[in-house]
Short mmCIF file of all heavy atoms in Angstrom, two decimals:
data_model
loop_
_atom_site.label_atom_id
_atom_site.label_comp_id
_atom_site.label_asym_id
_atom_site.label_seq_id
_atom_site.Cartn_x
_atom_site.Cartn_y
_atom_site.Cartn_z
N MET A 1 77.90 110.01 72.88
CA MET A 1 77.65 108.95 73.82
C MET A 1 76.61 109.41 74.85
O MET A 1 76.73 110.47 75.45
CB MET A 1 78.95 108.57 74.51
CG MET A 1 78.81 107.46 75.50
SD MET A 1 80.45 106.92 76.00
CE MET A 1 80.28 107.02 77.73
N THR A 2 75.57 108.63 75.05
CA THR A 2 74.53 108.96 76.00
C THR A 2 74.85 108.36 77.35
O THR A 2 75.20 107.19 77.45
CB THR A 2 73.16 108.41 75.51
OG1 THR A 2 72.93 108.92 74.21
CG2 THR A 2 72.06 108.85 76.43
N MET A 3 74.72 109.19 78.36
CA MET A 3 75.01 108.74 79.72
C MET A 3 73.72 108.23 80.37
O MET A 3 72.67 108.81 80.21
CB MET A 3 75.53 109.93 80.53
CG MET A 3 76.04 109.58 81.88
SD MET A 3 76.75 111.04 82.66
CE MET A 3 75.78 111.08 84.14
N THR A 4 73.82 107.13 81.09
CA THR A 4 72.69 106.62 81.85
C THR A 4 72.43 107.59 83.00
O THR A 4 73.38 107.98 83.69
CB THR A 4 73.00 105.22 82.41
OG1 THR A 4 73.33 104.37 81.33
CG2 THR A 4 71.82 104.66 83.17
N PRO A 5 71.17 107.99 83.21
CA PRO A 5 70.89 108.93 84.30
C PRO A 5 71.37 108.39 85.65
O PRO A 5 71.22 107.21 85.94
CB PRO A 5 69.37 109.05 84.30
CG PRO A 5 68.94 108.59 82.96
CD PRO A 5 69.97 107.62 82.49
N MET A 6 71.96 109.26 86.42
CA MET A 6 72.44 108.86 87.74
C MET A 6 71.26 108.64 88.68
O MET A 6 71.27 107.71 89.47
CB MET A 6 73.36 109.95 88.31
CG MET A 6 73.71 109.69 89.76
SD MET A 6 75.24 110.46 90.22
CE MET A 6 76.37 109.19 89.75
N TRP A 7 70.25 109.51 88.56
CA TRP A 7 69.10 109.42 89.45
C TRP A 7 67.82 109.23 88.66
O TRP A 7 67.71 109.66 87.52
CB TRP A 7 69.00 110.67 90.31
CG TRP A 7 70.17 110.80 91.25
CD1 TRP A 7 70.51 109.94 92.24
CD2 TRP A 7 71.15 111.82 91.27
NE1 TRP A 7 71.64 110.37 92.89
CE2 TRP A 7 72.06 111.53 92.30
CE3 TRP A 7 71.37 112.96 90.51
CZ2 TRP A 7 73.14 112.34 92.61
CZ3 TRP A 7 72.45 113.77 90.81
CH2 TRP A 7 73.33 113.45 91.85
N THR A 8 66.86 108.57 89.30
CA THR A 8 65.56 108.28 88.69
C THR A 8 64.47 108.60 89.72
O THR A 8 64.78 108.86 90.88
CB THR A 8 65.46 106.79 88.31
OG1 THR A 8 65.44 106.00 89.53
CG2 THR A 8 66.60 106.34 87.41
N PRO A 9 63.20 108.54 89.31
CA PRO A 9 62.12 108.80 90.28
C PRO A 9 62.10 107.81 91.46
O PRO A 9 61.54 108.13 92.50
CB PRO A 9 60.85 108.66 89.44
CG PRO A 9 61.29 109.04 88.05
CD PRO A 9 62.69 108.48 87.94
N THR A 10 62.71 106.67 91.30
CA THR A 10 62.75 105.70 92.41
C THR A 10 64.11 105.65 93.11
O THR A 10 64.25 105.00 94.14
CB THR A 10 62.38 104.29 91.92
OG1 THR A 10 63.26 103.92 90.87
CG2 THR A 10 60.93 104.25 91.44
N HIS A 11 65.10 106.28 92.54
CA HIS A 11 66.46 106.31 93.11
C HIS A 11 66.97 107.74 92.99
O HIS A 11 67.38 108.18 91.91
CB HIS A 11 67.38 105.35 92.33
CG HIS A 11 68.80 105.42 92.78
ND1 HIS A 11 69.23 104.85 93.96
CD2 HIS A 11 69.89 105.99 92.21
CE1 HIS A 11 70.54 105.08 94.09
NE2 HIS A 11 70.96 105.77 93.04
N PHE A 12 66.89 108.47 94.10
CA PHE A 12 67.26 109.88 94.08
C PHE A 12 67.95 110.25 95.39
O PHE A 12 67.84 109.51 96.38
CB PHE A 12 66.02 110.77 93.85
CG PHE A 12 64.88 110.49 94.79
CD1 PHE A 12 64.81 111.09 96.03
CD2 PHE A 12 63.87 109.61 94.42
CE1 PHE A 12 63.77 110.82 96.89
CE2 PHE A 12 62.82 109.34 95.27
CZ PHE A 12 62.76 109.95 96.52
N PRO A 13 68.64 111.39 95.43
CA PRO A 13 69.34 111.81 96.64
C PRO A 13 68.38 112.08 97.80
O PRO A 13 67.26 112.56 97.58
CB PRO A 13 70.04 113.10 96.23
CG PRO A 13 70.07 113.08 94.74
CD PRO A 13 68.88 112.29 94.31
N ALA A 14 68.81 111.80 99.00
CA ALA A 14 67.99 112.03 100.19
C ALA A 14 67.56 113.49 100.30
O ALA A 14 66.47 113.77 100.79
CB ALA A 14 68.75 111.60 101.44
N ALA A 15 68.37 114.39 99.82
CA ALA A 15 68.03 115.82 99.88
C ALA A 15 66.77 116.16 99.10
O ALA A 15 66.13 117.18 99.34
CB ALA A 15 69.20 116.66 99.37
N MET A 16 66.38 115.29 98.17
CA MET A 16 65.18 115.53 97.35
C MET A 16 63.93 114.88 97.94
O MET A 16 62.84 115.02 97.41
CB MET A 16 65.40 115.02 95.93
CG MET A 16 66.46 115.76 95.17
SD MET A 16 66.61 115.09 93.50
CE MET A 16 68.00 116.03 92.88
N ARG A 17 64.09 114.18 99.04
CA ARG A 17 62.99 113.42 99.63
C ARG A 17 61.79 114.30 100.00
O ARG A 17 60.65 113.89 99.86
CB ARG A 17 63.49 112.68 100.87
CG ARG A 17 62.59 111.58 101.34
CD ARG A 17 63.18 110.79 102.48
NE ARG A 17 64.60 110.52 102.26
CZ ARG A 17 65.50 110.42 103.22
NH1 ARG A 17 65.15 110.55 104.47
NH2 ARG A 17 66.76 110.19 102.94
N SER A 18 62.04 115.52 100.47
CA SER A 18 60.94 116.39 100.92
C SER A 18 60.21 117.09 99.78
O SER A 18 59.18 117.72 100.02
CB SER A 18 61.47 117.43 101.90
OG SER A 18 62.36 118.32 101.23
N LEU A 19 60.72 117.00 98.57
CA LEU A 19 60.06 117.64 97.43
C LEU A 19 58.82 116.86 97.02
O LEU A 19 58.80 115.63 97.12
CB LEU A 19 61.02 117.73 96.23
CG LEU A 19 62.31 118.50 96.44
CD1 LEU A 19 63.20 118.36 95.22
CD2 LEU A 19 62.04 119.95 96.74
N ASN A 20 57.79 117.57 96.55
CA ASN A 20 56.64 116.82 96.05
C ASN A 20 57.06 116.10 94.76
O ASN A 20 58.07 116.46 94.14
CB ASN A 20 55.41 117.73 95.86
CG ASN A 20 55.55 118.71 94.72
OD1 ASN A 20 55.97 118.35 93.62
ND2 ASN A 20 55.20 119.95 94.95
N PRO A 21 56.33 115.09 94.34
CA PRO A 21 56.77 114.26 93.21
C PRO A 21 57.07 115.01 91.92
O PRO A 21 58.06 114.72 91.25
CB PRO A 21 55.62 113.27 93.03
CG PRO A 21 55.03 113.15 94.39
CD PRO A 21 55.13 114.54 94.99
N SER A 22 56.27 116.00 91.56
CA SER A 22 56.53 116.71 90.30
C SER A 22 57.76 117.59 90.41
O SER A 22 58.56 117.67 89.47
CB SER A 22 55.30 117.52 89.86
OG SER A 22 54.97 118.48 90.83
N THR A 23 57.95 118.24 91.55
CA THR A 23 59.14 119.07 91.75
C THR A 23 60.38 118.18 91.83
O THR A 23 61.43 118.52 91.28
CB THR A 23 59.00 119.93 93.03
OG1 THR A 23 57.80 120.71 92.93
CG2 THR A 23 60.19 120.85 93.21
N ARG A 24 60.26 117.04 92.50
CA ARG A 24 61.38 116.10 92.58
C ARG A 24 61.77 115.60 91.19
O ARG A 24 62.96 115.53 90.86
CB ARG A 24 61.03 114.91 93.46
CG ARG A 24 62.20 113.94 93.63
CD ARG A 24 61.84 112.70 94.41
NE ARG A 24 61.16 113.01 95.66
CZ ARG A 24 59.97 112.50 96.00
NH1 ARG A 24 59.34 111.66 95.21
NH2 ARG A 24 59.42 112.83 97.15
N ALA A 25 60.78 115.30 90.36
CA ALA A 25 61.07 114.82 89.00
C ALA A 25 61.86 115.87 88.22
O ALA A 25 62.81 115.55 87.51
CB ALA A 25 59.77 114.47 88.28
N LYS A 26 61.49 117.14 88.38
CA LYS A 26 62.20 118.21 87.69
C LYS A 26 63.61 118.35 88.26
O LYS A 26 64.58 118.54 87.51
CB LYS A 26 61.44 119.53 87.83
CG LYS A 26 61.97 120.61 86.93
CD LYS A 26 61.82 120.18 85.49
CE LYS A 26 62.20 121.25 84.52
NZ LYS A 26 62.16 120.77 83.13
N ALA A 27 63.76 118.25 89.58
CA ALA A 27 65.08 118.34 90.20
C ALA A 27 65.98 117.20 89.72
O ALA A 27 67.17 117.42 89.45
CB ALA A 27 64.95 118.32 91.73
N ILE A 28 65.42 116.01 89.60
CA ILE A 28 66.19 114.86 89.10
C ILE A 28 66.65 115.12 87.67
O ILE A 28 67.81 114.88 87.32
CB ILE A 28 65.35 113.57 89.20
CG1 ILE A 28 65.17 113.17 90.66
CG2 ILE A 28 65.98 112.43 88.40
CD1 ILE A 28 64.10 112.11 90.88
N GLU A 29 65.74 115.61 86.85
CA GLU A 29 66.07 115.91 85.46
C GLU A 29 67.20 116.94 85.37
O GLU A 29 68.17 116.76 84.64
CB GLU A 29 64.82 116.46 84.76
CG GLU A 29 65.03 116.87 83.32
CD GLU A 29 63.79 117.52 82.73
OE1 GLU A 29 62.66 117.22 83.18
OE2 GLU A 29 63.95 118.34 81.81
N ILE A 30 67.09 118.01 86.15
CA ILE A 30 68.10 119.06 86.16
C ILE A 30 69.44 118.52 86.66
O ILE A 30 70.49 118.78 86.06
CB ILE A 30 67.64 120.27 87.00
CG1 ILE A 30 66.44 120.94 86.33
CG2 ILE A 30 68.77 121.26 87.21
CD1 ILE A 30 65.70 121.93 87.24
N ALA A 31 69.42 117.77 87.76
CA ALA A 31 70.67 117.23 88.32
C ALA A 31 71.37 116.31 87.34
O ALA A 31 72.59 116.38 87.17
CB ALA A 31 70.38 116.49 89.62
N ASN A 32 70.60 115.46 86.68
CA ASN A 32 71.21 114.56 85.69
C ASN A 32 71.82 115.34 84.53
O ASN A 32 72.91 115.01 84.05
CB ASN A 32 70.17 113.56 85.18
CG ASN A 32 69.90 112.46 86.18
OD1 ASN A 32 70.75 112.09 86.97
ND2 ASN A 32 68.69 111.93 86.15
N GLN A 33 71.15 116.41 84.10
CA GLN A 33 71.70 117.24 83.02
C GLN A 33 72.98 117.93 83.46
O GLN A 33 73.96 117.98 82.69
CB GLN A 33 70.68 118.29 82.58
CG GLN A 33 69.52 117.72 81.82
CD GLN A 33 68.44 118.75 81.53
OE1 GLN A 33 68.47 119.88 82.04
NE2 GLN A 33 67.47 118.37 80.72
N LEU A 34 72.99 118.44 84.69
CA LEU A 34 74.19 119.11 85.19
C LEU A 34 75.37 118.14 85.28
O LEU A 34 76.50 118.49 84.90
CB LEU A 34 73.92 119.73 86.57
CG LEU A 34 72.99 120.95 86.57
CD1 LEU A 34 72.62 121.33 88.00
CD2 LEU A 34 73.62 122.12 85.84
N LEU A 35 75.12 116.94 85.75
CA LEU A 35 76.20 115.95 85.84
C LEU A 35 76.68 115.51 84.46
O LEU A 35 77.87 115.27 84.26
CB LEU A 35 75.74 114.74 86.65
CG LEU A 35 75.61 115.00 88.15
CD1 LEU A 35 75.06 113.77 88.85
CD2 LEU A 35 76.94 115.40 88.76
N GLU A 36 75.75 115.42 83.53
CA GLU A 36 76.12 115.03 82.16
C GLU A 36 77.07 116.05 81.54
O GLU A 36 77.96 115.70 80.78
CB GLU A 36 74.87 114.87 81.31
CG GLU A 36 75.13 114.21 79.97
CD GLU A 36 73.85 113.89 79.24
OE1 GLU A 36 72.88 113.46 79.87
OE2 GLU A 36 73.84 114.07 78.00
N GLN A 37 76.88 117.32 81.90
CA GLN A 37 77.77 118.37 81.40
C GLN A 37 79.17 118.25 81.99
O GLN A 37 80.13 118.74 81.41
CB GLN A 37 77.20 119.75 81.73
CG GLN A 37 75.93 120.06 80.96
CD GLN A 37 75.28 121.35 81.42
OE1 GLN A 37 75.81 122.08 82.26
NE2 GLN A 37 74.12 121.63 80.88
N GLY A 38 79.27 117.57 83.14
CA GLY A 38 80.58 117.26 83.72
C GLY A 38 81.31 118.39 84.39
O GLY A 38 82.50 118.27 84.67
N GLN A 39 80.64 119.49 84.68
CA GLN A 39 81.34 120.63 85.27
C GLN A 39 81.13 120.77 86.77
O GLN A 39 81.76 121.60 87.41
CB GLN A 39 80.90 121.91 84.57
CG GLN A 39 81.26 121.91 83.11
CD GLN A 39 80.78 123.16 82.39
OE1 GLN A 39 80.31 124.09 83.01
NE2 GLN A 39 80.90 123.16 81.08
N LEU A 40 80.22 119.96 87.34
CA LEU A 40 79.92 120.08 88.77
C LEU A 40 80.06 118.73 89.47
O LEU A 40 79.86 117.68 88.86
CB LEU A 40 78.47 120.56 88.96
CG LEU A 40 78.11 121.92 88.40
CD1 LEU A 40 76.61 122.14 88.49
CD2 LEU A 40 78.86 123.02 89.13
N ASP A 41 80.36 118.79 90.76
CA ASP A 41 80.36 117.56 91.55
C ASP A 41 78.91 117.24 91.91
O ASP A 41 78.01 118.07 91.76
CB ASP A 41 81.24 117.69 92.79
CG ASP A 41 80.74 118.78 93.73
OD1 ASP A 41 79.77 118.52 94.47
OD2 ASP A 41 81.33 119.88 93.72
N LYS A 42 78.67 116.03 92.41
CA LYS A 42 77.31 115.58 92.71
C LYS A 42 76.59 116.49 93.69
O LYS A 42 75.42 116.84 93.47
CB LYS A 42 77.33 114.15 93.27
CG LYS A 42 77.65 113.10 92.27
CD LYS A 42 77.65 111.73 92.94
CE LYS A 42 78.15 110.67 92.01
NZ LYS A 42 78.17 109.35 92.66
N GLN A 43 77.24 116.86 94.78
CA GLN A 43 76.57 117.67 95.80
C GLN A 43 76.14 119.01 95.26
O GLN A 43 75.04 119.48 95.53
CB GLN A 43 77.47 117.85 97.03
CG GLN A 43 76.74 118.44 98.21
CD GLN A 43 75.49 117.65 98.61
OE1 GLN A 43 75.53 116.44 98.76
NE2 GLN A 43 74.38 118.33 98.74
N ARG A 44 76.98 119.64 94.49
CA ARG A 44 76.64 120.96 93.90
C ARG A 44 75.50 120.80 92.90
O ARG A 44 74.60 121.64 92.84
CB ARG A 44 77.88 121.56 93.24
CG ARG A 44 77.69 122.98 92.82
CD ARG A 44 77.68 123.91 94.03
NE ARG A 44 77.46 125.25 93.54
CZ ARG A 44 76.56 126.10 94.04
NH1 ARG A 44 75.84 125.76 95.07
NH2 ARG A 44 76.40 127.28 93.53
N ALA A 45 75.51 119.74 92.10
CA ALA A 45 74.44 119.49 91.15
C ALA A 45 73.11 119.29 91.86
O ALA A 45 72.07 119.79 91.42
CB ALA A 45 74.77 118.28 90.28
N ILE A 46 73.13 118.57 92.98
CA ILE A 46 71.92 118.34 93.77
C ILE A 46 71.38 119.67 94.29
O ILE A 46 70.18 119.97 94.16
CB ILE A 46 72.20 117.37 94.93
CG1 ILE A 46 72.49 115.97 94.39
CG2 ILE A 46 71.03 117.33 95.91
CD1 ILE A 46 73.08 115.02 95.42
N THR A 47 72.25 120.45 94.89
CA THR A 47 71.83 121.74 95.46
C THR A 47 71.23 122.65 94.40
O THR A 47 70.14 123.20 94.59
CB THR A 47 73.03 122.43 96.14
OG1 THR A 47 73.55 121.57 97.14
CG2 THR A 47 72.64 123.76 96.75
N ILE A 48 71.92 122.81 93.30
CA ILE A 48 71.43 123.67 92.23
C ILE A 48 70.11 123.16 91.67
O ILE A 48 69.18 123.93 91.42
CB ILE A 48 72.48 123.80 91.11
CG1 ILE A 48 73.68 124.61 91.62
CG2 ILE A 48 71.89 124.43 89.85
CD1 ILE A 48 74.87 124.59 90.70
N SER A 49 70.00 121.86 91.48
CA SER A 49 68.78 121.30 90.88
C SER A 49 67.57 121.49 91.80
O SER A 49 66.47 121.78 91.32
CB SER A 49 68.96 119.82 90.54
OG SER A 49 69.09 119.04 91.71
N ILE A 50 67.76 121.37 93.11
CA ILE A 50 66.65 121.58 94.05
C ILE A 50 66.22 123.04 94.02
O ILE A 50 65.02 123.35 93.96
CB ILE A 50 67.05 121.13 95.47
CG1 ILE A 50 67.18 119.61 95.51
CG2 ILE A 50 66.03 121.62 96.50
CD1 ILE A 50 67.78 119.07 96.79
N ILE A 51 67.16 123.94 94.06
CA ILE A 51 66.84 125.38 94.03
C ILE A 51 66.09 125.72 92.75
O ILE A 51 65.07 126.41 92.78
CB ILE A 51 68.13 126.22 94.16
CG1 ILE A 51 68.72 126.07 95.57
CG2 ILE A 51 67.87 127.68 93.82
CD1 ILE A 51 70.12 126.62 95.73
N GLU A 52 66.59 125.24 91.63
CA GLU A 52 65.97 125.55 90.34
C GLU A 52 64.59 124.91 90.21
O GLU A 52 63.65 125.54 89.71
CB GLU A 52 66.89 125.10 89.20
CG GLU A 52 66.40 125.47 87.83
CD GLU A 52 66.34 126.97 87.56
OE1 GLU A 52 66.87 127.77 88.36
OE2 GLU A 52 65.74 127.34 86.54
N ALA A 53 64.44 123.67 90.65
CA ALA A 53 63.13 123.00 90.56
C ALA A 53 62.10 123.71 91.43
O ALA A 53 60.94 123.88 91.02
CB ALA A 53 63.26 121.53 90.97
N ARG A 54 62.50 124.14 92.62
CA ARG A 54 61.58 124.89 93.48
C ARG A 54 61.21 126.22 92.85
O ARG A 54 60.06 126.66 92.91
CB ARG A 54 62.20 125.12 94.85
CG ARG A 54 62.19 123.89 95.72
CD ARG A 54 62.81 124.17 97.07
NE ARG A 54 62.65 123.02 97.96
CZ ARG A 54 63.44 122.77 98.98
NH1 ARG A 54 64.45 123.58 99.26
NH2 ARG A 54 63.23 121.72 99.73
N ARG A 55 62.18 126.90 92.23
CA ARG A 55 61.91 128.17 91.55
C ARG A 55 60.90 127.97 90.42
O ARG A 55 59.94 128.73 90.30
CB ARG A 55 63.21 128.77 91.01
CG ARG A 55 63.03 130.17 90.40
CD ARG A 55 64.31 130.65 89.75
NE ARG A 55 64.63 129.90 88.55
CZ ARG A 55 64.05 130.09 87.35
NH1 ARG A 55 63.12 131.01 87.21
NH2 ARG A 55 64.41 129.37 86.31
N LEU A 56 61.11 126.94 89.63
CA LEU A 56 60.19 126.65 88.53
C LEU A 56 58.79 126.30 89.04
O LEU A 56 57.78 126.72 88.46
CB LEU A 56 60.74 125.52 87.66
CG LEU A 56 61.99 125.87 86.86
CD1 LEU A 56 62.61 124.62 86.25
CD2 LEU A 56 61.67 126.90 85.79
N ALA A 57 58.72 125.55 90.13
CA ALA A 57 57.42 125.19 90.71
C ALA A 57 56.69 126.43 91.21
O ALA A 57 55.48 126.56 91.01
CB ALA A 57 57.61 124.19 91.85
N ARG A 58 57.42 127.35 91.84
CA ARG A 58 56.79 128.60 92.30
C ARG A 58 56.30 129.42 91.12
O ARG A 58 55.18 129.96 91.14
CB ARG A 58 57.77 129.43 93.12
CG ARG A 58 57.92 128.98 94.55
CD ARG A 58 58.68 130.00 95.40
NE ARG A 58 59.97 130.36 94.84
CZ ARG A 58 61.11 129.71 95.10
NH1 ARG A 58 61.11 128.67 95.90
NH2 ARG A 58 62.24 130.10 94.56
N MET A 59 57.11 129.52 90.08
CA MET A 59 56.69 130.27 88.88
C MET A 59 55.44 129.66 88.27
O MET A 59 54.53 130.36 87.88
CB MET A 59 57.83 130.28 87.85
CG MET A 59 58.94 131.21 88.19
SD MET A 59 60.31 131.19 87.00
CE MET A 59 59.51 131.19 85.44
N TYR A 60 55.40 128.33 88.20
CA TYR A 60 54.24 127.64 87.65
C TYR A 60 53.00 127.90 88.50
O TYR A 60 51.92 128.17 87.98
CB TYR A 60 54.52 126.14 87.56
CG TYR A 60 53.33 125.36 87.05
CD1 TYR A 60 53.01 125.35 85.69
CD2 TYR A 60 52.52 124.64 87.93
CE1 TYR A 60 51.91 124.65 85.21
CE2 TYR A 60 51.43 123.93 87.46
CZ TYR A 60 51.13 123.95 86.11
OH TYR A 60 50.03 123.26 85.65
N ALA A 61 53.15 127.87 89.82
CA ALA A 61 52.02 128.09 90.71
C ALA A 61 51.48 129.51 90.57
O ALA A 61 50.27 129.73 90.52
CB ALA A 61 52.42 127.82 92.16
N VAL A 62 52.37 130.48 90.49
CA VAL A 62 51.95 131.88 90.33
C VAL A 62 51.25 132.06 88.99
O VAL A 62 50.19 132.68 88.92
CB VAL A 62 53.17 132.83 90.44
CG1 VAL A 62 52.83 134.23 89.97
CG2 VAL A 62 53.69 132.84 91.86
N GLU A 63 51.80 131.50 87.94
CA GLU A 63 51.20 131.63 86.61
C GLU A 63 49.84 130.94 86.56
O GLU A 63 48.88 131.48 86.01
CB GLU A 63 52.14 131.03 85.55
CG GLU A 63 51.67 131.23 84.13
CD GLU A 63 51.61 132.69 83.69
OE1 GLU A 63 52.25 133.56 84.32
OE2 GLU A 63 50.90 132.97 82.71
N THR A 64 49.73 129.76 87.15
CA THR A 64 48.46 129.04 87.17
C THR A 64 47.42 129.84 87.95
O THR A 64 46.27 129.95 87.53
CB THR A 64 48.65 127.65 87.81
OG1 THR A 64 49.62 126.94 87.05
CG2 THR A 64 47.36 126.86 87.83
N ASP A 65 47.81 130.41 89.07
CA ASP A 65 46.90 131.22 89.87
C ASP A 65 46.46 132.45 89.08
O ASP A 65 45.29 132.81 89.07
CB ASP A 65 47.59 131.63 91.18
CG ASP A 65 46.66 132.38 92.11
OD1 ASP A 65 45.54 131.90 92.33
OD2 ASP A 65 47.06 133.46 92.60
N ARG A 66 47.39 133.09 88.41
CA ARG A 66 47.07 134.29 87.62
C ARG A 66 46.09 133.96 86.51
O ARG A 66 45.11 134.65 86.30
CB ARG A 66 48.35 134.90 87.03
CG ARG A 66 48.11 136.23 86.32
CD ARG A 66 49.35 136.73 85.62
NE ARG A 66 49.76 135.85 84.52
CZ ARG A 66 49.18 135.82 83.32
NH1 ARG A 66 48.17 136.58 83.05
NH2 ARG A 66 49.65 135.02 82.38
N ILE A 67 46.33 132.87 85.81
CA ILE A 67 45.45 132.45 84.72
C ILE A 67 44.08 132.08 85.28
O ILE A 67 43.05 132.45 84.73
CB ILE A 67 46.07 131.28 83.92
CG1 ILE A 67 47.28 131.77 83.14
CG2 ILE A 67 45.03 130.65 83.00
CD1 ILE A 67 48.09 130.65 82.52
N GLY A 68 44.06 131.36 86.39
CA GLY A 68 42.80 130.97 87.03
C GLY A 68 41.96 132.17 87.42
O GLY A 68 40.75 132.19 87.22
N ARG A 69 42.59 133.20 87.97
CA ARG A 69 41.85 134.40 88.35
C ARG A 69 41.32 135.14 87.14
O ARG A 69 40.21 135.61 87.15
CB ARG A 69 42.73 135.33 89.17
CG ARG A 69 42.80 134.93 90.63
CD ARG A 69 43.56 135.91 91.44
NE ARG A 69 44.98 135.61 91.20
CZ ARG A 69 45.97 136.46 91.22
NH1 ARG A 69 45.75 137.71 91.49
NH2 ARG A 69 47.20 136.10 90.98
N SER A 70 42.11 135.21 86.06
CA SER A 70 41.65 135.94 84.89
C SER A 70 40.51 135.20 84.21
O SER A 70 39.57 135.82 83.72
CB SER A 70 42.79 136.22 83.91
OG SER A 70 43.29 135.01 83.40
N VAL A 71 40.54 133.88 84.20
CA VAL A 71 39.46 133.09 83.60
C VAL A 71 38.21 133.20 84.45
O VAL A 71 37.11 133.42 83.93
CB VAL A 71 39.89 131.61 83.43
CG1 VAL A 71 38.71 130.75 83.04
CG2 VAL A 71 41.00 131.50 82.40
N SER A 72 38.34 133.08 85.77
CA SER A 72 37.15 133.12 86.64
C SER A 72 36.53 134.51 86.67
O SER A 72 35.36 134.65 86.95
CB SER A 72 37.51 132.64 88.05
OG SER A 72 38.41 133.53 88.65
N SER A 73 37.30 135.55 86.37
CA SER A 73 36.73 136.89 86.38
C SER A 73 35.77 137.11 85.22
O SER A 73 34.96 138.02 85.24
CB SER A 73 37.83 137.95 86.39
OG SER A 73 38.55 137.88 85.18
N TYR A 74 35.85 136.26 84.18
CA TYR A 74 34.95 136.36 83.04
C TYR A 74 33.71 135.50 83.22
O TYR A 74 32.80 135.56 82.43
CB TYR A 74 35.67 135.95 81.75
CG TYR A 74 36.76 136.90 81.37
CD1 TYR A 74 38.10 136.53 81.44
CD2 TYR A 74 36.47 138.20 80.96
CE1 TYR A 74 39.11 137.40 81.10
CE2 TYR A 74 37.48 139.08 80.63
CZ TYR A 74 38.79 138.68 80.69
OH TYR A 74 39.78 139.55 80.36
N ALA A 75 33.67 134.69 84.24
CA ALA A 75 32.54 133.76 84.43
C ALA A 75 31.32 134.47 84.98
O ALA A 75 31.35 135.52 85.51
CB ALA A 75 32.95 132.64 85.38
#
């Protein structure tokens, strides 16, 4: 049985309001997955999803910067 997502890009927890749109989208995706698993309450799912989405965004930014520097060093 497929569960309808609790949160969407237009309907999300206030705690996610300060996230940029791409990080918020990832946090929403993570939170919905955590709730679908049924092991966490909403507040804990929100907290974990924000932490994880920010971590992934930082990793992406570092990797993009690293790749950008290695490419520009060959120019």
Side-chain angles (χ1 to χ4, degrees):
M1 180 170 128
T2 305
M3 188 175 123
T4 303
M6 171 155 273
W7 295 298
T8 67
T10 57
H11 175 75
F12 52 86
M16 294 181 185
R17 197 174 318 148
S18 66
L19 300 174
N20 70 46
S22 61
T23 304
R24 183 185 310 125
K26 191 62 174 175
I28 290 167
E29 178 186 332
I30 293 166
N32 284 331
Q33 288 173 351
L34 290 171
L35 288 176
E36 191 172 321
Q37 292 173 5
Q39 298 178 8
L40 299 171
D41 62 78
K42 288 180 188 179
Q43 191 55 49
R44 189 74 181 131
I46 292 167
T47 302
I48 291 170
S49 68
I50 290 171
I51 291 168
E52 185 64 11
R54 284 180 173 156
R55 185 186 69 79
L56 292 169
R58 280 192 306 271
M59 285 178 44
Y60 177 77
V62 167
E63 186 64 19
T64 301
D65 184 49
R66 186 186 65 78
I67 291 170
R69 278 185 281 150
S70 64
V71 170
S72 65
S73 65
Y74 293 111

